[in-house]
Amino acid sequence: MALRAALLSSLLLLCAVRRFGLCCPSRCLCFRTTVRCMHLNLETVPAVSPQTTIDLRFNKIKDLQPGSFRRLKNLNTLLNNNHIRRIPRGAFEDLENLKYYLHFNNIESLEPESFTHLPKLERFLHNNRITQLVPGTFSHLQAMKRRLDSNSLNCDCELLWLADLLKQYAESGNAQAAATCDYPSRLQGRSVATLTAEELNCVPRITSEPHDVDVTSGNTVYFTCRAEGNPKPQIIWLRNNALNMRDDSRLNLLEDGTLMIQNTRETDQGVYQCMAKNVAGEVKTSEVTLRYFGAP
């Protein structure tokens, strides 16, 4: 009789969440709607009931599949201290109550779509191997507090958007949000929030400027303009504050930024200016003049 009671008790414990659609995963501990699967060397995410709160910390999960946590709306703590390398799109859909996330993993890169519809996500990615973050990665994380430190962030011009975001957090009173540089060596340990476009040589810098030109009818004119910056700046030419090169086949922008005007006419005369522009800013040269003298 006692043996029968023990077996019945074990069965009830294993299937505590059967009424929600699934039994307790093997070796996990289940109580009502809580499933604890810590320290089990799991390599995949087990299937559980949609009403379940599952704890998967301290395992060996490496890969996630889209929809791995679909409908787990009660989940608030997820996958810290695993071996996760990447996050596919849709891996965390429906986790509207998720707060604590993916710290102490092996994540190297992220996609912006990984973090949509996670309004309560606060602290999540410290102690990983992230080197780069694309603009917009955290644009949906209204509750983000911390943190991105202890990664391998390469602090270059591509990370300026994160510096601006962290400054906004600090100004709004959220000083906990933090990220530090790992590369290059001169910036190692530096707070990303303190980076400027100037010290990273991101803002365009003019290296060769155009000069005034005198021209007669039918000749070819070259206005030189070269610039450096990261990312490489776009060269834009202005004439009397506007220049539409698409409507005139005589106007050509050469690969090095030089403006070439073929078969010059009287209508070409005026004031010209070169502008170099990228995401970090823009800079203009001094104005120069094309003077037209008609026939030779």
Side-chain angles (χ1 to χ4, degrees), residues 79-84 102-108 124-130 146-152 178 180:
L79 287 161
N80 52 290
N81 299 84
N82 273 274
H83 298 173
I84 297 170
L102 289 165
H103 42 290
F104 290 96
N105 274 279
N106 297 324
I107 300 168
E108 297 180 357
F124 58 125
L125 284 168
H126 52 287
N127 294 86
N128 274 280
R129 298 178 181 178
I130 301 168
R146 59 180 176 182
R147 141 186 150 210
L148 293 167
D149 52 306
S150 299
N151 275 281
S152 301
T180 53

Side-chain angles (χ1 to χ4, degrees), residues 38-59:
M38 299 183 295
H39 300 283
L40 296 179
N41 294 323
L42 297 178
E43 296 184 0
T44 59
V45 177
V48 296
S49 163
Q51 289 78 17
T52 298
T53 296
I54 186 170
D55 194 335
L56 294 168
R57 294 175 293 166
F58 302 98
N59 280 289

Side-chain angles (χ1 to χ4, degrees), residues 32 59 68 73 79 85 100 118 164 181 183 194 201-202 206 208 233 284 290 293:
R32 294 182 180 176
N59 280 289
S68 295
K73 297 182 183 297
L79 287 161
R85 297 170 293 189
Y100 310 102
L118 301 176
D164 293 337
C181 303
Y183 303 100
T194 65
N201 297 319
C202 304
I206 300 294
S208 181
K284 294 180 180 178
L290 186 152
F293 290 98

Side-chain angles (χ1 to χ4, degrees), residues 63-80:
D63 299 304
L64 299 176
Q65 303 300 321
S68 295
F69 304 98
R70 187 174 291 130
R71 300 190 307 277
L72 297 183
K73 297 182 183 297
N74 296 325
L75 197 61
N76 63 6
T77 301
L78 194 53
L79 287 161
N80 52 290

Side-chain angles (χ1 to χ4, degrees), residues 152-223:
S152 301
L153 290 178
N154 181 20
C155 289
D156 57 15
C157 301
E158 303 294 333
L159 209 62
L160 280 177
W161 70 271
L162 180 60
D164 293 337
L165 180 65
L166 294 176
K167 290 171 186 175
Q168 293 175 16
Y169 283 147
E171 292 171 358
S172 64
N174 182 10
Q176 290 182 310
T180 53
C181 303
D182 198 33
Y183 303 100
S185 57
R186 64 183 178 86
L187 296 176
Q188 191 170 37
R190 175 86 171 269
S191 170
V192 173
T194 65
L195 298 177
T196 65
E198 289 76 17
E199 69 179 318
L200 295 178
N201 297 319
C202 304
V203 178
R205 181 174 63 89
I206 300 294
T207 59
S208 181
E209 296 208 13
H211 300 281
D212 294 344
V213 172
D214 295 336
V215 67
T216 56
S217 177
N219 286 329
T220 298
V221 169
Y222 295 92
F223 280 126

